[in-house]
Amino acid sequence: MLKNDQEEEVGKHEHNKKCDHEHHPDMPPVTNVPEGAIYTCPMHPEVQQSTPGDCPKCGMALEPMMPSLEEEENPELTDFRRRFWWTLPLTIVVAVLAMAGHQLFPNGLPNQSWIELVIGTPVVLWAGWLFFQRWAKSILHRSPNMWTLIGTGVSAAYGYSVVATIAPEIFPETFMEHGRIGVYFEAAAVIISLTLLGQILELKARSQTSVAIKSLLGLAPKTARRINDGESEEDVPLTHVHIGDRLRVRPGEKIPVDGIVLEGESAVDESMLTGEPIPVMKRPGDKIIGATINSSGSLIMRSEKVGSQTMLSQIVQMVAQAQRSRAPMQRLADVVAGYFVVVVVGIAILTLLCWGFFGPEPRWVFGFVNAVAVLIIACPCALGLATPMSIMAATGRAATQGVLFRDAAAIEGMRKIDILIVDKTGTLTEGKPAFDRVVAAPGFSEQQVLQIAASIDQGSEHPLAHAIVAEAHKRGIKLDKPDSFESSSGIGVRGEVSGQQIILGNTVLMDTENVGWHMLANEAETLRKEGASVMYLAADKQLIGLVAVSDPVKETTVEALETLKQAGIKVVMATGDGLTTAKSVAARLGIDEVHGEVKPQDKLSLVERFQAQGKVVAMAGDGINDAPALAKADVGIAMGTGTDVAINSAHLTLVKGDLRAIARARGISVDTVRNMRQNLGFAFIYNALGIPLAAGLLYPFTGQLLSPMIAAIAMSMSSVSVITNALRLRGTSR
């Protein structure tokens, strides 16, 4: 639903809450509904509203899109539990009378049918009232679902029994059992009780899928210790922390918000967000993430992101979004479910007629019982829950390992990748380049070159630019403010400084601007062979020097690439750096295919070329220049340490920017798809076997029929088993 639609729904919040209670007067009033909360269906995420209720498509209870730590128990679960326990004794009594009454009372119990009617009616009409409401809605909305089958089956059994009790004379003698017309109040009552029990178990199991989000929400500290202007300190609620505040984090405390270290050194445990168990040493200038744990020393930090801007909040939002997405594998189940209920009703009618005309006596009784059993056992709920439950469990598990999937399609697609295209800076390397050296052209000094390069780079967010500017500040060089600035993603920057047109970038940019760069080509090539990134600097289209920056390879990169190769994935490097630099880094990492000095459109073309060869392509990057390729790739992988543009363009994000998480993501993808197939296979096989059994096809061979009560047990357990199987994903590790 679009944002303005959500706002409109939220605006009707109180009115809808009142109306919902009027439609369900027996249900406890909804309390503690978070302001602005949106509720959705786990099977149909496109259904959204501002209050709890039932899905108009499938009748399932809606649940909050964003769980909260303060929310109370699902009111529907409370109501179902109350109805189940209050009517269970009545169900037991009516079942005992119906199944063993002739043994308990050898001479017959006078007016037994009337006694069963009196005992069974509260179970059917009060305990099952919400089911009948859903049944009526499914017919009114022309959206047949599980409640269509349950409501039709129970209505048929109860309605037939009421007529047989009130007017037994209209039935033929073949309907007589133990001296009276056979009635099925016990079947109707037991089906209602078992369906209630199944719903209770299902709702409790479904609530476990939000445990991952709740555990993430629980990571955030409640307060922060703020340092005021007078150097006094006070503990304030986290909601009172603003951008720019100075905060003290003592040993053992959680870091309150995202920010940067101003003073102190300490090892910070980031395992709850990144999945990495080894604490990371943080020093002044290093960024720190809210909700991680300060292990040893005391830190003073400056807050940079608060509220919904923090990484923890963004992770929670991404996990919730992914959990509500639809898996491509679900499309087949959706198509089948669309026709399933209508087909089942047809099979039930056919069962009744075949037994009635061709079965043994009492053939119409057999036909009626079998038709009801078909309706009850054929519940499509397990089919609809097969993949959503797997997705919800898998995304929660992935988030605790530093992997954030945007949607279910990314989970499915990750296991299929053949080619992984990686950027160099910030992906294979630390993304924290260190200044190497300056080479000045004849007639210029190194200080002049560095001063001009740093001045123009003040407007760039690229890590290489940060290293150049930092070196100029370190040397005490005064920088000029650029009068204009333009970034040419992947190849360099242009702008005006002190009346001069400045160009800083690679040879592609120099050639584009007709700047001769060959006089320093040998020096540049020597630096590139050492693994440095080289940028030429020109003023008014005259080459005045070059700047070299080195970016060390991440310690985890070699291990990650080896793991990916063992999984059969070919790794290709594509970088805006010079080809010599790229080849130098690639040689150290064992990467065979390298593309240097590529523009954003070149990375996009590379993705398209591999896709045209029938390959499934993943692209891993962290910069603005990677965004087009990330969006085009079958699976775009953004480094969580990179730019927001890259993260928003990608299909999954690695919180720590560690390539080893790609292998973890692929493992999660394999496990999840296997789990979804198990669930779908179980649901299909269950219905393929259950319906013929309920129809009585084995009666000629075994002489046994499937009771509607047994069908109700099987129907409830099928949904619970699918959810239970999906929850296994939470404990799987690779």
Side-chain angles (χ1 to χ4, degrees):
M1 183 179 287
L2 297 176
K3 183 178 180 181
N4 57 346
D5 294 330
Q6 291 179 338
E7 292 172 350
E8 181 180 350
E9 288 292 336
V10 171
K12 301 176 181 177
H13 180 75
E14 292 301 325
H15 172 74
N16 288 347
K17 186 193 299 185
K18 178 180 177 182
C19 292
D20 187 69
H21 187 60
E22 289 174 353
H23 293 161
H24 302 281
D26 295 329
M27 183 178 290
V30 178
T31 59
N32 202 28
V33 175
E35 186 67 27
I38 301 297
Y39 292 80
T40 187
C41 173
M43 287 171 56
H44 300 93
E46 68 276 10
V47 174
Q48 297 178 6
Q49 66 182 49
S50 60
T51 57
D54 303 331
C55 174
K57 293 187 176 182
C58 66
M60 292 186 68
L62 302 180
E63 50 192 35
M65 295 181 67
M66 182 62 66
S68 68
L69 293 175
E70 294 77 21
E71 66 183 9
E72 297 177 353
E73 183 181 67
N74 187 326
E76 185 170 54
L77 175 58
T78 303
D79 187 46
F80 281 173
R81 189 185 291 120
R82 176 171 61 98
R83 292 172 188 264
F84 173 75
W85 288 112
W86 273 98
T87 58
L88 181 60
L90 299 179
T91 299
I92 294 173
V93 171
V94 75
V96 170
L97 283 177
M99 301 176 68
H102 60 285
Q103 296 176 348
L104 296 174
F105 306 98
N107 297 324
L109 178 65
N111 299 318
Q112 181 172 336
S113 295
W114 282 97
I115 294 174
E116 291 183 22
L117 169 62
V118 171
I119 298 175
T121 295
V123 181
V124 175
L125 297 187
W126 180 70
W129 182 246
L130 293 179
F131 299 163
F132 288 120
Q133 286 184 322
R134 296 178 179 184
W135 169 69
K137 285 181 181 179
S138 71
I139 297 173
L140 182 64
H141 295 155
R142 298 180 182 178
S143 179
N145 53 51
M146 62 175 285
W147 303 110
T148 311
L149 301 179
I150 294 173
T152 301
V154 173
S155 297
Y158 180 75
Y160 161 83
S161 301
V162 170
V163 174
T165 301
I166 296 174
E169 66 277 1
I170 68 175
F171 292 89
E173 291 186 3
T174 54
F175 280 58
M176 296 287 288
E177 292 183 82
H178 306 294
R180 64 190 178 105
I181 300 299
V183 292
Y184 297 96
F185 291 114
E186 86 286 354
V190 170
I191 289 169
I192 291 295
S193 292
L194 289 174
T195 303
L196 280 171
L197 177 61
Q199 288 296 294
I200 291 170
L201 295 175
E202 181 182 316
L203 287 170
K204 292 183 69 174
R206 274 167 49 193
S207 68
Q208 297 301 306
T209 58
S210 64
V211 167
I213 291 183
K214 289 184 178 181
S215 65
L216 288 171
L217 291 171
L219 293 176
K222 300 296 185 292
T223 62
R225 190 163 187 82
R226 185 169 61 194
I227 303 176
N228 299 319
D229 292 339
E231 298 303 315
S232 63
E233 299 182 9
E234 62 175 332
D235 291 326
V236 298
L238 199 63
T239 53
H240 292 184
V241 175
H242 303 289
I243 295 175
D245 284 352
R246 288 189 302 150
L247 308 172
R248 182 180 298 280
V249 187
R250 291 165 292 193
E253 291 183 336
K254 290 182 178 180
I255 293 169
V257 294
D258 296 3
I260 188 169
V261 177
L262 298 177
E263 299 177 25
E265 292 186 4
S266 180
V268 175
D269 181 358
E270 300 179 338
S271 60
M272 66 286 295
L273 294 181
T274 66
E276 292 299 323
I278 301 176
V280 181
M281 183 59 65
K282 299 293 183 178
R283 298 178 175 87
D286 290 341
K287 292 185 178 297
I288 48 180
I289 304 172
T292 55
I293 300 175
N294 180 25
S295 300
S296 51
S298 178
L299 297 175
I300 295 178
M301 63 172 288
R302 182 178 66 244
S303 61
E304 293 189 332
K305 293 182 179 180
V306 299
S308 61
Q309 299 176 336
T310 64
M311 180 174 289
L312 177 63
S313 295
Q314 292 178 14
I315 288 174
V316 171
Q317 291 286 348
M318 290 182 70
V319 173
Q321 175 184 331
Q323 288 189 340
R324 301 301 171 192
S325 63
R326 301 290 279 168
M329 192 179 294
Q330 183 67 20
R331 293 171 187 162
L332 175 61
D334 290 342
V335 172
V336 172
Y339 299 97
F340 187 76
V341 174
V342 176
V343 171
V344 168
V345 172
I347 293 174
I349 294 173
L350 185 62
T351 299
L352 173 65
L353 296 177
C354 287
W355 275 92
F357 287 113
F358 307 110
E361 293 293 348
R363 54 181 184 269
W364 286 103
V365 174
F366 283 158
F368 177 77
V369 172
N370 289 337
V372 171
V374 167
L375 291 172
I376 300 302
I377 202 170
C379 169
C381 188
L383 193 61
L385 289 172
T387 69
M389 293 298 104
S390 297
I391 294 298
M392 294 182 77
T395 49
R397 168 191 157 198
T400 63
Q401 298 186 21
V403 178
L404 305 177
F405 289 99
R406 182 200 287 179
D407 52 33
I411 297 180
E412 276 199 48
M414 189 64 198
R415 81 188 207 287
K416 302 176 183 177
I417 60 173
D418 307 308
I419 302 288
L420 173 62
I421 301 173
V422 293
D423 181 38
K424 181 180 77 69
T425 304
T427 303
L428 297 176
T429 62
E430 292 285 355
K432 298 178 180 179
F435 178 82
D436 192 324
R437 72 192 74 171
V438 171
V439 177
F444 297 91
S445 68
E446 290 186 3
Q447 179 159 330
Q448 280 181 295
V449 174
L450 182 57
Q451 193 271 342
I452 295 173
S455 294
I456 190 65
D457 259 343
Q458 290 178 96
S460 175
E461 66 172 15
H462 198 283
L464 299 180
H466 293 171
I468 295 172
V469 174
E471 180 65 20
H473 287 316
K474 180 180 178 182
R475 296 188 185 187
I477 298 175
K478 182 180 179 181
L479 303 183
D480 297 322
K481 183 178 180 181
D483 298 314
S484 64
F485 176 82
E486 176 189 350
S487 174
S488 299
S489 295
I491 59 175
V493 297
R494 304 177 180 90
E496 183 177 341
V497 178
S498 300
Q500 290 183 303
Q501 295 299 320
I502 305 301
I503 304 168
L504 177 65
N506 61 18
T507 56
V508 174
L509 182 59
M510 295 297 118
D511 290 338
T512 301
E513 298 293 335
N514 297 316
V515 175
W517 49 271
H518 295 87
M519 72 171 67
L520 296 179
N522 292 334
E523 291 87 343
E525 189 69 9
T526 300
L527 290 168
R528 291 192 186 106
K529 287 180 179 179
E530 296 173 359
S533 298
V534 176
M535 290 153 283
Y536 291 95
L537 179 67
D540 293 329
K541 298 198 174 183
Q542 178 188 1
L543 184 70
I544 62 175
L546 59 82
V547 183
V549 177
S550 298
D551 188 9
V553 173
K554 293 179 182 177
E555 294 180 0
T556 59
T557 296
V558 175
E559 177 189 344
L561 293 178
E562 184 61 32
T563 302
L564 293 170
K565 288 179 181 179
Q566 291 176 0
I569 298 172
K570 179 181 179 181
V571 180
V572 177
M573 181 196 294
T575 177
D577 279 346
L579 186 58
T580 303
T581 302
K583 286 184 175 179
S584 173
V585 175
R588 281 184 277 162
L589 297 176
I591 298 175
D592 298 325
E593 186 170 344
V594 182
H595 300 267
E597 296 191 350
V598 296
K599 304 175 184 177
Q601 57 266 36
D602 296 329
K603 293 184 180 181
L604 178 61
S605 299
L606 189 61
V607 171
E608 292 173 337
R609 176 161 66 83
F610 282 121
Q611 289 176 331
Q613 297 172 5
K615 304 294 185 181
V616 179
V617 182
M619 169 72 194
D622 73 330
I624 293 175
N625 57 314
D626 299 317
L630 288 171
K632 178 62 179 177
D634 297 288
V635 180
I637 304 170
M639 303 294 115
T641 51
T643 63
D644 290 341
V645 174
I647 293 172
N648 292 333
S649 301
H651 303 96
L652 70 91
T653 300
L654 310 182
V655 173
K656 195 177 179 181
D658 184 346
L659 283 179
R660 290 181 299 178
I662 295 180
R664 290 200 294 269
R666 189 174 184 277
I668 292 171
S669 172
V670 170
D671 291 341
T672 305
V673 171
R674 182 188 301 119
N675 191 272
M676 287 192 293
R677 285 175 173 169
Q678 290 169 351
N679 285 346
L680 285 172
F682 177 82
F684 278 119
I685 292 173
Y686 164 80
N687 284 302
L689 295 177
I691 293 176
L693 285 174
L697 292 185
L698 296 182
Y699 181 79
F701 308 101
T702 64
Q704 299 294 320
L705 294 175
L706 185 66
S707 165
M709 293 180 285
I710 301 300
I713 296 175
M715 177 269 295
S716 297
M717 291 302 102
S718 65
S719 298
V720 174
S721 61
V722 163
I723 297 173
T724 302
N725 186 52
L727 291 176
R728 290 192 307 111
L729 285 171
R730 294 188 305 162
T732 307
S733 61
R734 281 179 177 263

